[in-house]
Amino acid sequence: MSRPLIAKQKSLSPVIVIAHRGASGLRPEHTIAGYTLAIEQGADFIEPDLVLTKDDVFVARHENDITDTTDVAKHAEFADRKTSKTIDGTKHVGWFTEDFTLAELKTLRAKERLPLLRPDNVQYDGQFEVPTLAEVIALAKQHKVGIYPETKHPSYFAGIGHPMEARLVAELKAAGWDSADAPVFVQSFEVDNLKRLNGMTSVRLIQLLDASGGPADKATPSYAAMITPAGLKAVAAYAYGIGPGKAMVADGTLIAAAHAAGLRVHPWTFRAENYFLPARLWSGVNPRAHGRVEEEIRQAIDHGVDGYFTDFPALGVAARAAAAKDQ
Ligand code: G3P
Ligand code: CA
């Protein structure tokens, strides 16, 4: 075990394990099978990224472009829906959830996003539906775990006549989740949608941050500005915590600053494959072989994170247990 770079810090809250897109290291992402495996492996929260259908139903997809994570290209009946769109400044060519009703989307099947890195998951291609938020909520309630939904491209969706906030709040309220102790965190890389949500619900909100760039809604100039003491104080006015990229917590400084502002810290995303690990944690030279992600998670725990996203919930749970044993 490599030594922490700075002294150990304590988390503000009990450390939670968040299953990133389900147990997405082991099943195609955002499928009931992947979420179910995550729950079996001990995840505290399952993470659906949320986009809307043509008939305004929330479904779990990482983006509204479903070209790479479903078999839509094989459906001749939808060939004429292929189009090009610019979303948050990036051009996409393919098929998009907002052009499909839920009934149409339900005829598609999920496929593995990363077949070269995760070849074992390809065996599940074609087996699983695109789940709705309602189905994810039902699963979470059945197994008594929480959900950690992310609004994807909220400004884009509002701009095409599909605002997200009221629909999300209504769906959470219908599930009985409208308070700060509900088993829910809502996250976004954008800012203004979180501020609007803060005025509409008391569920906990998480401001996502990246190591470069800034929010697509341009509500603040950059993520760098948001992690200054003044920036963190501003985030604390509407959010319960921050979700920074894992590299942003590698030395513990941001965690201490966020905690000082009263914010919890849930970094993303811990993945076992060498490809996603720093060179010092690789095992062998194959990018898809698993390296020592437990050490990476342990360092984050020692720096005081309040939870973390992982594609491999079992490894996340084991790393937390090992850290607790060493206390
Ligand atoms: O939501 C945390 C993390 O999932 C953000 O990244 O791109 O996987 O949604 P992404
Ligand atoms: Ca996400």
Side-chain angles (χ1 to χ4, degrees):
M1 172 77 58
S2 58
R3 295 181 63 78
L5 297 174
I6 64 172
K8 284 188 180 183
Q9 302 179 60
K10 281 199 183 312
S11 61
L12 281 187
S13 304
V15 175
I16 57 170
V17 176
I18 308 149
H20 182 247
R21 313 183 196 174
S24 57
L26 301 164
R27 296 290 184 278
E29 68 186 38
H30 294 310
T31 59
I32 292 297
Y35 296 129
T36 301
L37 181 57
I39 293 166
E40 288 167 1
Q41 292 188 344
D44 304 297
F45 287 79
I46 51 177
E47 189 221 16
D49 294 321
L50 297 179
V51 293
L52 282 164
T53 64
K54 187 176 187 176
D55 45 350
D56 279 324
V57 181
F58 278 114
V59 291
R61 291 285 95 193
H62 181 259
E63 56 273 302
N64 50 325
D65 181 346
I66 51 175
T67 313
D68 292 336
T69 62
T70 71
D71 62 0
V72 64
K74 290 186 182 166
H75 285 250
E77 70 276 24
F78 298 135
D80 63 354
R81 308 269 177 104
K82 187 176 185 182
T83 187
S84 100
K85 304 193 186 206
T86 298
I87 298 154
D88 296 348
T90 301
K91 186 176 174 190
H92 296 255
V93 179
W95 289 263
F96 299 84
T97 57
E98 64 267 29
D99 299 328
F100 291 78
T101 64
L102 177 63
E104 290 171 336
L105 268 184
K106 281 291 189 182
T107 68
L108 307 182
R109 292 294 177 269
K111 67 175 190 179
E112 172 57 42
R113 176 191 292 277
L114 304 170
L116 296 179
L117 279 175
R118 294 173 173 170
D120 290 351
N121 297 2
V122 173
Q123 65 184 299
Y124 303 106
D125 284 5
Q127 294 190 22
F128 308 128
E129 293 181 6
V130 172
T132 63
L133 173 59
E135 290 164 349
V136 177
I137 289 173
L139 181 72
K141 282 182 169 267
Q142 180 190 348
H143 294 282
K144 298 184 171 44
V145 300
I147 67 164
Y148 205 124
E150 178 183 352
T151 54
K152 284 293 187 187
H153 311 298
S155 290
Y156 166 81
F157 272 102
I160 59 169
H162 297 275
M164 290 182 156
E165 293 86 0
R167 287 185 180 90
L168 179 56
V169 170
E171 195 154 351
L172 295 176
K173 276 187 183 171
W177 293 338
D178 189 30
S179 63
D181 61 358
V184 182
F185 295 90
V186 178
Q187 43 164 341
S188 182
F189 280 107
E190 294 192 17
V191 172
D192 282 343
N193 85 110
L194 287 177
K195 288 183 175 176
R196 281 191 291 277
L197 287 166
N198 185 46
M200 300 165 74
T201 177
S202 295
V203 300
R204 293 165 290 183
L205 306 177
I206 300 292
Q207 176 67 60
L208 296 174
L209 302 166
D210 210 342
S212 62
D217 63 357
K218 310 258 189 272
T220 66
S222 67
Y223 292 124
M226 297 172 79
I227 60 171
T228 63
L232 291 168
K233 190 175 168 197
V235 171
Y238 61 86
Y240 175 84
I242 57 171
K246 66 177 184 175
M248 299 172 75
V249 300
D251 74 357
T253 307
L254 175 59
I255 299 169
H259 283 175
L263 291 161
R264 274 65 172 181
V265 182
H266 297 161
W268 49 271
T269 297
F270 293 99
R271 292 165 156 153
E273 294 90 354
N274 282 333
Y275 180 82
F276 297 109
L277 290 167
R280 69 185 167 80
L281 297 178
W282 278 47
S283 296
V285 295
N286 185 339
R288 68 179 176 230
H290 287 196
R292 302 197 305 281
V293 67
E294 298 93 333
E295 289 184 34
E296 189 182 42
I297 296 173
R298 177 58 185 272
Q299 179 177 283
I301 292 172
D302 285 350
H303 286 341
V305 294
D306 302 284
Y308 40 86
F309 293 83
T310 177
D311 290 4
F312 294 87
L315 298 180
V317 169
R320 178 177 60 185
K325 210 170 150 197
D326 291 347
Q327 291 303 311

